[in-house]
Amino acid sequence: MSTAVSAPPVCVLGLGLIGGSLLRAAIAAGREAWGYNRSSGAVDAAVADGFDASTDLPAVLRRAAASDALVVVAVPMPAVDAVLATVAEHAPNVALTDVVSVKSAVAAAVAARGLSARFVGGHPMAGTAESGWDAGTADLFRDAVWVVAVDDGADPGVWQQVAGLALDCGSVVVPAESGEHDAAVARISHLPHVLAEALALAGAGGGDLALALAAGSFRDGTRIAGTAPALVDAMCEGNATALLAALDETLEVLRTAREQLADGRTGDLTSAGHAARQRYEQRERKPITGIVPGDDDWIERLRDAGRRGGVWTS
Ligand code: NAD
């Protein structure tokens, strides 16, 4: 259900796939919303599509400060600090969130700019291998999971604003502490990117014959290797510690599988992998009830609910 009646305006910084989709989704939900993009091409395209967009970041931020908007940072990690520096200069007291794929590094950058008091990080678990304004759609986040960070000191009012925006975009909210988010996405997002790149290389290593024979398994297993390398680099490098741990664990699994294959059997890997896939398919989204942001222990209770697969739906 839309929260548009009481919801604040939304100011989106970066109008690529995610930010452009967010601007469209916020407008579709009845929000007042506008955006900034560094390059005029995306701004011209957004304006031509009927949206309110500008290349003037200070002006966009002053408008956000004047209207108490929720500001959303939607640029790649390497560009985050420069954007935050401008936020600190022109709109230091706005409610602030982001959509960046890593959370600890963004929280640290926000703290370094003195913006933590009204910051609650976010990460919509939605996307495609495309980039830029033209790739965006208003329904990109529909039925997706949107992580909203529950870090120490989080402002409960801002937390509810960020969760409300996610719900307005059609997502359900999973509360998670930033470090726990990073460890989890290393496993289910960043590691898959590394493995997809490696698999694409293995296929290409077989030359034109192997690629000519490639069908569904290769196509599906390498789909995300089609993502722009710079975006993958930003995700992986921004979450290197957690990704290294997940990669080490997986290399150990592969090493064991290799040893077993040399002995003529692969059963341990295939049965364990099949069971793990079934656990994923059978996961449930249990609605979180009885927790009010701002009440005693709300941060720890939301973290715990998120760890147990709970979702915030209202
Ligand atoms: P994108 O390439 O489609 O858009 C990136 C946007 O950032 C563009 O509008 C670009 O103009 C702008 N930008 C780049 N460098 C900039 C700079 N130095 N200063 C100002 N603006 C700059 O990428 P995207 O997929 O929309 O990713 C945006 C954010 O969303 C990233 O932080 C990414 O981690 C996160 N994210 C991506 C996905 C995904 O699947 N693509 C999913 C969830 C979150």
Side-chain angles (χ1 to χ4, degrees), residues 14-19 36-39 42 74-77 79 83 99-101 123-128 130-133 231 235:
L15 299 177
L17 169 68
I18 301 297
Y36 151 83
N37 203 74
R38 181 181 57 163
S39 64
V75 297
M77 187 64 218
V83 169
V99 296
V100 181
S101 311
H123 180 199
M125 305 299 300
T128 70
E130 307 297 316
S131 301
W133 169 264
L231 275 180
M235 283 191 288

Side-chain angles (χ1 to χ4, degrees), residues 158-217:
V158 177
W159 196 90
Q160 288 184 90
Q161 282 190 31
V162 178
L165 177 61
L167 296 179
D168 269 2
C169 292
S171 296
V172 295
V173 168
V174 169
E177 188 270 337
S178 285
E180 291 181 49
H181 161 278
D182 291 350
V185 295
R187 290 171 178 273
I188 55 81
S189 176
H190 305 158
L191 181 65
H193 275 282
V194 171
L195 297 179
E197 312 284 5
L199 185 57
L201 276 171
D208 291 340
L209 175 61
L211 295 179
L213 302 184
S217 306

Side-chain angles (χ1 to χ4, degrees), residues 4 6 13 16 60 67 78 84 102 104 140 149 194 210 214 247-248 251 274 279 291 299 307 313:
S6 59
L13 309 180
V60 160
S67 53
L84 291 176
V102 292
S104 300
L140 183 69
V194 171
L247 189 54
D248 284 345
L251 287 171
H274 186 72
R279 186 173 167 199
I291 303 176
I299 288 180
R307 282 181 202 122
T313 54

